[in-house]
Amino acid sequence: FSLADLRSTTELVDKLIPNDKPPEWIFLHGLIENAIYGGKIENQYDNRILVSFLQYWFCSDVVGSSPQRKLCKN
């Protein structure tokens, strides 16, 4: 994957997650999995890793207003 993929994902998340509502995680996971990264994955094992990452990192526990898991140390 490239920095362009990360940039696309970041822009998508910024545009699709309003500040006043919780995100539609299933919809967002589908877009990231299928539209941004999925076209570059050629085997099922790698796709399962992507789905696991999406479920673990793109959720309210990490991205929510009071995250229980953090992407990095503050």
Side-chain angles (χ1 to χ4, degrees), residues 4-23:
D5 297 320
L6 179 60
R7 190 176 314 112
S8 297
T9 302
T10 303
E11 290 175 7
L12 179 72
V13 170
D14 284 344
K15 289 180 184 178
L16 292 179
I17 298 180
N19 291 330
D20 58 342
K21 292 185 202 176

Side-chain angles (χ1 to χ4, degrees), residues 3 6 8 14 16-17 20 25-26 30-33 36 40 46-47 49-51 53-54 56 60 62-63 69 73:
L3 287 176
L6 179 60
S8 297
D14 284 344
L16 292 179
I17 298 180
D20 58 342
W25 290 113
I26 294 172
L31 277 176
I32 295 170
E33 177 187 348
I36 296 177
K40 296 181 178 191
D46 289 343
N47 192 62
I49 292 171
L50 173 62
V51 169
F53 283 168
L54 289 172
Y56 189 83
S60 295
V62 176
V63 184
R69 290 194 305 256
K73 294 180 183 181

Side-chain angles (χ1 to χ4, degrees), residues 5 27 34 42 71 73:
D5 297 320
F27 173 73
N34 297 304
E42 296 180 359
L71 292 172
K73 294 180 183 181

